[in-house]
Amino acid sequence: MTVTSELSTAMAFLQFPGAPVILRLLLLLMYVLSGALAKRHVVYWNSTNTRLTSDNYSVQVELNDYLDILCPHYPPDSPLPRPLETLALYLVAEAEFRGCQETKGAIKRWECKDPQAPYGPVRFSEKIQRFTPFSLGTEFLPGHHYYYSSLSTDDGPPLPCMKLKVTVCCESRCVGVCVCVCVGVCVCG
């Protein structure tokens, strides 16, 4: 969906009968600001990213932020130093995260299977939101941790254990300056 079509959808919503002009403008401003204030957290998911292969890589996000995963990529005309990495990323429970293994309870989120895409690395984006309109989407709760890990695909080379812990910070219920402590509590000043 393009920005223009999103804006026209928002404008169509704001044209309900009986709404004062100031209310419509306020709703439009809130819609525009909500998209502008979201942060994007980019993770290059490949075996050369040593943060993924360590045991303590963590990203702290807030509701409405985005987690962008960039798959392994090799330019089509570059020499290949080793077999191309292809992998599947899973959303797993904490126990599976510690062992870096796939289980029946793991949810396959994405497959990185085009490492020589002509347009650059394949990007997957996960919006961190409390409610999702998609049946396979994840609903993220403030103060909770979510765990991603990956396994090599059947046709890919063996890869080291790569994993990421995502912590969702609390929602701000305060007026004024507010700092998230990421344990489900807001400290307001």
Side-chain angles (χ1 to χ4, degrees):
M1 185 176 256
T2 65
V3 173
T4 307
S5 63
E6 286 181 15
L7 187 57
S8 63
T9 302
M11 291 302 290
F13 168 74
L14 294 175
Q15 294 177 2
F16 55 91
V21 173
I22 192 75
L23 176 62
R24 288 186 280 181
L25 290 174
L26 181 61
L27 287 174
L28 177 62
L29 178 65
M30 288 173 45
Y31 173 78
V32 170
L33 285 178
S34 68
L37 296 177
K39 294 179 188 167
R40 298 196 85 93
H41 304 270
V42 178
V43 177
Y44 291 88
W45 202 284
N46 60 61
S47 63
T48 62
N49 185 346
T50 56
R51 292 180 293 175
L52 287 172
T53 56
S54 70
D55 279 339
N56 58 357
Y57 188 31
S58 178
V59 174
Q60 294 181 354
V61 298
E62 295 185 30
L63 290 177
N64 297 318
D65 285 357
Y66 290 87
L67 178 64
D68 293 329
I69 303 291
L70 294 174
C71 290
H73 183 258
Y74 307 89
D77 55 349
S78 69
L80 302 176
R82 59 183 178 269
L84 301 179
E85 292 182 24
T86 56
L87 51 91
L89 275 86
Y90 294 89
L91 188 59
V92 298
E94 185 176 7
E96 288 77 33
F97 175 76
R98 301 233 181 268
C100 207
Q101 59 193 4
E102 178 186 2
T103 63
K104 289 182 182 180
I107 300 168
K108 185 189 268 186
R109 299 301 294 158
W110 308 290
E111 272 193 14
C112 293
K113 57 184 177 184
D114 193 6
Q116 288 190 303
Y119 46 82
V122 174
R123 174 191 299 251
F124 295 105
S125 294
E126 180 107 73
K127 183 168 184 184
I128 308 300
Q129 56 189 358
R130 185 186 292 263
F131 303 105
T132 179
F134 305 108
S135 61
L136 296 176
T138 301
E139 296 180 348
F140 294 90
L141 299 175
H144 287 77
H145 306 289
Y146 298 87
Y147 304 92
Y148 293 89
S149 68
S150 64
L151 294 171
S152 179
T153 59
D154 293 337
D155 55 345
L159 296 172
C161 179
M162 294 182 280
K163 51 191 181 178
L164 171 69
K165 175 181 170 183
V166 175
T167 300
V168 181
C169 289
C170 60
E171 284 185 288
S172 172
R173 293 184 198 92
C174 311
V175 176
V177 178
C178 199
V179 177
C180 264
V181 183
C182 289
V183 290
V185 178
C186 278
V187 177
C188 302

